[in-house]
Amino acid sequence: MTASARGLGVQLAPPGSEPAGLGRFGEYGGRFVPETLVPALEELEREFRSAWSSEEFRAELAGLLASYAGRPTPVTECHRLSERLGVRVLLKREDLTHTGSHKINNVLGQALLTRRMGKQRVIAETGAGQHGVATATAAALFGLECLVFMGAVDVERQALNVFRMRLLGAEVVPVESGSATLKDAINEALRDWVATVETTHYCIGSVVGPHPYPWMVREFQRVVGDEAREQCRALLGGTDPDVVLACVGGGSNAIGTFAGFIDLPGVRLVGVEAGGRGLESGQHGSSVSRGVPGVLHGARSLFLQDEHGQILEAHSISAGLDYPGVGPEHAELAAAGRAEYANATDEEALEGFELLARTEGIVPALEPAHAIAWLAREAGRSIPKGATVLVTLSGRGDKDAEQVAERLGYDSFR
Ligand SMILES: *Cc1c(COP(=O)(O)O)cnc(C)c1O
């Protein structure tokens, strides 16, 4: 009885609107890929569209999200942090999902599609390793072969997640080219896909890449925002939060969160990007604030580029925000003024990390620690005292413990 009640606890809201043309969000998005990939992207688009309107597919995904991923995740009211900041803080707890971040929501959807398309092998790129772990997990669950491309620098700084992927039966391929981080891992994954597209599904981990990925991944992540909207209404006596906040790497946890609130013009939507060592230093991941329009990884969006259009290296203390671009829908939301994009530096993120741990007993991943840090800075400034703020806590901080211990000078980690 309990098990089925929990299974029934996940209700997927009706599908959101489909982007026009070939995945256009205003002047952004589209499908800029080698000829060989076009049939696979068309097949994926067809399969996703039909699956997403199929009651059977949606019920199977809802069941997996409930019984395997642990949804719905709660919204937690943060009493001590609220008192400290003078605003009412609510957290959407994606850190409590199986594998520890929102990535599992998307991956379970794409694994079901892989099976529908009769493919036996999945490839993925990963930065912090959370998407790689989620993909390796789904591959184990579905009996699929799994190859994960990861920048050699990230392999080094996220050793725990590399071990988890290998334990789950995935092969991890360190990528040495370029800056040896996420952008280079995506390049390698695309290269592999061109050669193996008949048998392989490329499981992209954010709302980036060619159509249909930005749309499809948003739809798989909108469960975060749709759940949060209902949960906030229950908590707030039928009203909505004043501000909805999420960190932005490629932008999937943010767009999934925003999707639940976007039709409410009174709700202020804010995405927090990596400020790295400060925007003036040039070492950051703030592609909306500082990027220029261009085409990379199959789509037109905002990217960090030099005056010759060369892609610049991003920098962030958190591997998950260390990407020189952003999903096309965010570029359009920024252009339309519907969402704002701010940033928090490495140092501020470390403060946010400790602040949440000490006030609430919740250790966030470094990525959402950026959102916590921005909130701490803006409470009582651009966020009026007494306002209600929903923050999506995209993941938990276990993976970052060693790195943070070192940076904050805790004596010994081991
Ligand atoms: C991957 C990741 C991110 C960044 O990716 P988005 O697509 O921007 O959500 C943020 N937080 C966590 C915990 C992650 O694992």
Side-chain angles (χ1 to χ4, degrees):
M1 204 46 217
T2 340
S4 67
R6 188 152 176 68
L8 291 171
V10 171
Q11 276 280 344
L12 297 177
S17 64
E18 193 175 325
L22 272 184
R24 289 289 175 173
F25 299 94
E27 63 166 295
Y28 301 103
R31 179 183 283 161
F32 299 86
V33 294
E35 206 64 31
T36 38
L37 292 183
V38 170
L41 291 167
E42 286 174 344
E43 180 191 16
L44 181 61
E45 181 187 341
R46 259 194 325 271
E47 283 295 339
F48 172 65
R49 186 178 293 115
S50 97
W52 204 225
S53 62
S54 142
E55 276 314 307
E56 202 186 329
F57 179 91
R58 294 166 69 79
E60 188 171 12
L61 180 57
L64 274 175
L65 289 171
S67 68
Y68 190 72
R71 302 205 73 84
T73 59
V75 164
T76 299
E77 172 132 33
C78 296
H79 295 285
R80 296 192 64 230
L81 182 60
S82 300
E83 196 175 316
R84 172 83 71 98
L85 300 180
V87 299
R88 186 170 180 186
V89 184
L90 307 175
L91 295 181
K92 178 60 173 164
R93 301 291 305 279
E94 295 304 294
D95 61 310
L96 293 179
T97 57
H98 179 47
T99 73
S101 84
H102 67 291
K103 299 277 171 26
I104 194 76
N105 305 324
N106 166 44
V107 156
L108 289 175
Q110 290 200 44
L112 285 176
L113 286 178
T114 305
R115 199 180 60 190
R116 266 174 86 105
M117 293 185 291
K119 292 183 169 179
Q120 283 302 317
R121 179 176 180 265
V122 286
I123 57 172
E125 81 297 333
T126 198
Q130 289 303 106
H131 176 59
V133 167
T135 306
T137 298
L141 181 67
F142 283 77
L144 302 168
E145 189 189 332
C146 178
L147 197 71
V148 180
F149 295 93
M150 188 171 188
V153 168
D154 294 333
V155 168
E156 198 67 33
R157 62 180 166 177
Q158 299 287 341
L160 175 62
N161 276 342
V162 173
F163 173 67
R164 288 168 81 194
M165 287 183 264
R166 290 183 173 148
L167 186 64
L168 290 160
E171 187 182 337
V172 179
V173 183
V175 176
E176 309 277 353
S177 58
S179 53
T181 57
L182 181 56
K183 145 179 88 65
D184 314 288
I186 299 178
N187 287 337
E188 272 316 298
L190 283 168
R191 202 163 297 148
D192 178 293
W193 204 31
V194 167
T196 60
V197 64
E198 298 283 321
T199 57
T200 298
H201 173 61
Y202 179 14
C203 183
I204 293 187
S206 191
V207 283
V208 301
H211 183 56
Y213 287 100
W215 164 49
M216 176 178 73
V217 178
R218 180 249 274 159
E219 290 296 297
F220 285 145
Q221 291 292 2
R222 67 175 302 136
V223 66
V224 177
D226 289 331
E227 278 178 13
R229 174 174 172 147
E230 294 308 313
Q231 291 167 315
C232 286
R233 288 200 167 167
L235 244 147
L236 303 173
T239 62
D240 300 305
D242 301 300
V243 183
V244 169
L245 191 57
C247 64
V248 175
S252 67
N253 86 89
I255 214 83
T257 304
F258 292 176
F261 298 90
I262 200 138
D263 62 336
L264 302 168
V267 177
R268 180 182 175 199
L269 305 176
V270 184
V272 181
E273 298 189 290
R277 300 190 173 103
L279 294 197
E280 300 319 314
S281 73
Q283 296 179 301
H284 57 79
S286 298
S287 345
V288 179
S289 303
R290 290 300 166 96
V292 280
V295 172
L296 182 70
H297 297 147
R300 181 174 164 81
S301 192
L302 294 171
F303 298 98
L304 302 176
Q305 302 171 62
D306 68 14
E307 66 273 27
H308 308 293
Q310 291 290 327
I311 299 297
L312 295 169
E313 277 181 33
H315 164 80
S316 172
I317 189 169
S318 66
L321 304 187
D322 202 343
Y323 178 64
V326 69
E329 191 168 4
H330 284 292
E332 167 59 12
L333 287 175
R338 177 61 190 98
E340 311 158 41
Y341 294 83
N343 55 79
T345 64
D346 291 351
E347 287 303 325
E348 289 174 314
L350 286 166
E351 287 166 20
F353 189 91
E354 268 192 328
L355 176 65
L356 192 64
R358 298 202 171 172
T359 53
E360 297 295 335
I362 298 170
V363 178
L366 276 172
E367 292 85 2
H370 287 73
I372 300 292
W374 183 82
L375 172 62
R377 193 209 303 152
E378 292 300 318
R381 295 165 77 175
S382 78
I383 305 172
K385 292 271 180 203
T388 300
V389 183
L390 173 77
V391 186
T392 292
L393 199 66
S394 53
R396 57 180 173 241
D398 310 36
K399 69 182 174 62
D400 301 314
E402 187 167 2
Q403 191 191 354
V404 173
E406 218 164 87
R407 278 290 294 262
L408 292 180
Y410 284 83
D411 276 355
S412 74
F413 176 72
R414 286 166 208 287

